[in-house]
Amino acid sequence: MSANDSASCTDVIKGRGKELPKKEVERIAQDELRETKNVRETALQQFREWVAKNKDISSVRTDASFLLRFLRVKKFSLPMAQQTLLKYLNLRKTLSHYFSLISYEDAALMHILTNGFIFASPIRDSLGRRVIIYVIDKFDPYKYGCGIMAQVFLMTFETVLEDDVTQITGVTHFADLHGASAAYVTLWSPLEFVRAVRWGEQSMPMRNKCVNIFNCPTSVRYILDFCRGLLSTKLKSRFFIHDSIDGLKSKIDAKCLPKEYGGEIPMSEMLELWKKEVWAKKDLILANKEMQIHDTSGIQTRKSRSGCQPLNNTETNIMAVSGSFRQLNVD
C-alpha cells in the first residue's frame, strides 16, 4: 500500500505498552470494518471524485488520513461516509465560534490542552485502542468559559484522529470527575450543550469503544444520567460509572492510566509526550480550518427553518431543567 493513498498502518503501535503487530491491525480492519487493500483504494478514489464534484463544499482535505476516518467509522459505506463528512463540516460551521478560535499561539489554550485536563495516554490498551484521559479538576470553571473547553476537546479529538491505527481500533475514554460541580455544566447554554454532545457524536468520525467515569460525586450523578440520555443506544451500552478502582480495571487496562491511577508512567511524563504529539500535528489541525460547507441541503436529516435540527423532547427537557443545574451546589 502506498504512503499517500492508503495511510498504511505503522509496523507496530508505538508506545511503552503492548505492541500490536501490523497484521493484527489489518485483521481488525477487515473483521470489524470490512477494510481490505482493494476496498480501501476503490473507496478513496470514489470519495475523492465525489468531493471534487460537490459544489456545496470547498477546500476539503482529500488525503487518505482524512477521508479514511469517515470511511472507517461507517465501515466503508461510501454514502454513509459522505453524509458523515457533510455533518462534520456542518458541525464546524454551526460551532464556528469554537473551531475558528483554535490557535497554537494562545497561551491559555495550550496550557489547558497540556495541563492534564484532557490528554491521550501514550500507551494503548490490549486491543490497540487509544485511551483519552480527562481530569476534571484541572479545569477552572470560574476562570475559563465553555469556549476554551470546547476548543481543547476538539483539538484533542482531531489530534488522535490523525493516526490511522486509532481510526481502526478506536478510542476508550476515562474521566475522573473528582471535584466536579454544577459550575462545569452551567458554563454552557442548555441548547448549545445538547447540540455539542449529540451532533458531536454523530459528526465526529471517531470509533468510541468505551466510556469510563470515575469519582463521580453523588450530587452530580443525576446530571450525568441526564447527559447520558443524549447519547446513541450503542454508546449508552458502552458507558460505565465506577465506584472503585477494581471496577474501573475491569473495563480498562491499568497500564494505560497514569501512575497516579494505578498505571506505570507518571502523569507528568505522559503530558510531556502528549505536548510533543499535539505540536507535531499542528499543521494538519490548522489546515482543517480552511474547509467549508456552503449548502447543507445535501445532509439527509430534518431541519428547522434556521438550518438546525429541531428540538426533540430530550433537548426541551434539558432546557427546562437548566435552572435546577444552576441552583445545584456540590461539596
Side-chain angles (χ1 to χ4, degrees), residues 62-286:
T62 56
D63 57 281
S65 177
F66 182 75
L67 294 182
L68 279 172
R69 67 192 65 178
F70 296 95
L71 289 165
R72 284 167 171 156
V73 81
K74 292 303 178 182
K75 300 184 178 181
F76 283 83
S77 166
L78 184 58
M80 293 179 69
Q82 292 166 346
Q83 282 296 307
T84 304
L85 172 59
L86 292 177
K87 291 177 182 178
Y88 168 81
L89 295 174
N90 189 40
L91 177 71
R92 296 187 68 95
K93 179 179 180 179
T94 304
L95 301 182
S96 60
H97 48 298
Y98 297 145
F99 283 96
S100 64
L101 293 176
I102 288 177
S103 169
Y104 289 76
E105 307 303 323
D106 187 319
L109 178 59
M110 293 308 296
H111 170 71
I112 297 173
L113 184 64
T114 58
N115 76 341
F117 167 57
I118 177 172
F119 62 99
S121 171
I123 298 180
R124 299 177 186 268
D125 68 15
S126 60
L127 297 174
R129 299 167 181 170
R130 201 71 193 271
V131 179
I132 300 178
I133 298 169
Y134 312 74
V135 183
I136 195 71
D137 65 5
K138 296 289 186 179
F139 185 93
D140 186 347
Y142 302 103
K143 184 177 181 180
Y144 301 109
C146 65
I148 200 167
M149 177 183 281
Q151 290 166 62
V152 297
F153 273 79
L154 294 168
M155 293 172 79
T156 300
F157 298 155
E158 296 275 15
T159 297
V160 298
L161 281 173
E162 288 297 335
D163 174 60
D164 65 311
V165 177
T166 299
Q167 293 173 16
I168 293 169
T169 58
V171 300
T172 291
H173 304 268
F174 164 71
D176 179 359
L177 298 191
H178 174 72
S181 69
Y184 292 90
V185 177
T186 56
L187 287 173
W188 299 77
S189 72
L191 180 57
E192 191 159 44
F193 177 76
V194 169
R195 284 179 172 160
V197 174
R198 300 198 72 179
W199 288 24
E201 185 192 349
Q202 296 171 10
S203 309
M204 190 64 66
M206 187 160 61
R207 301 189 71 209
N208 297 295
K209 306 302 291 188
C210 191
V211 178
N212 298 279
I213 306 296
F214 185 60
N215 279 336
C216 181
T218 302
S219 301
V220 176
R221 286 213 178 197
Y222 91 93
I223 298 177
L224 191 63
D225 288 340
F226 217 93
C227 296
R228 187 178 180 180
L230 302 175
L231 304 175
S232 66
T233 301
K234 178 186 290 185
L235 194 51
K236 284 178 187 177
S237 68
R238 299 174 177 178
F239 194 104
F240 305 94
I241 301 176
H242 304 285
D243 296 316
S244 67
I245 285 288
D246 289 340
L248 177 64
K249 289 181 178 178
S250 69
K251 294 295 181 182
I252 189 169
D253 296 342
K255 69 177 184 298
C256 303
L257 300 176
K259 189 173 183 178
E260 291 83 347
Y261 294 95
E264 301 172 353
I265 304 178
M267 186 183 297
S268 59
E269 187 175 337
M270 286 189 170
L271 291 177
E272 286 302 313
L273 294 171
W274 175 240
K275 289 178 185 178
K276 294 178 181 178
E277 182 176 353
V278 165
W279 199 255
K281 303 291 177 61
K282 177 183 71 168
D283 292 341
L284 289 169
I285 306 307
L286 292 177

Side-chain angles (χ1 to χ4, degrees), residues 30 46 50 55 69 187 193 274 314 317:
Q30 183 169 353
Q46 293 176 345
W50 178 84
K55 303 302 182 183
R69 67 192 65 178
L187 287 173
F193 177 76
W274 175 240
T314 303
N317 290 340

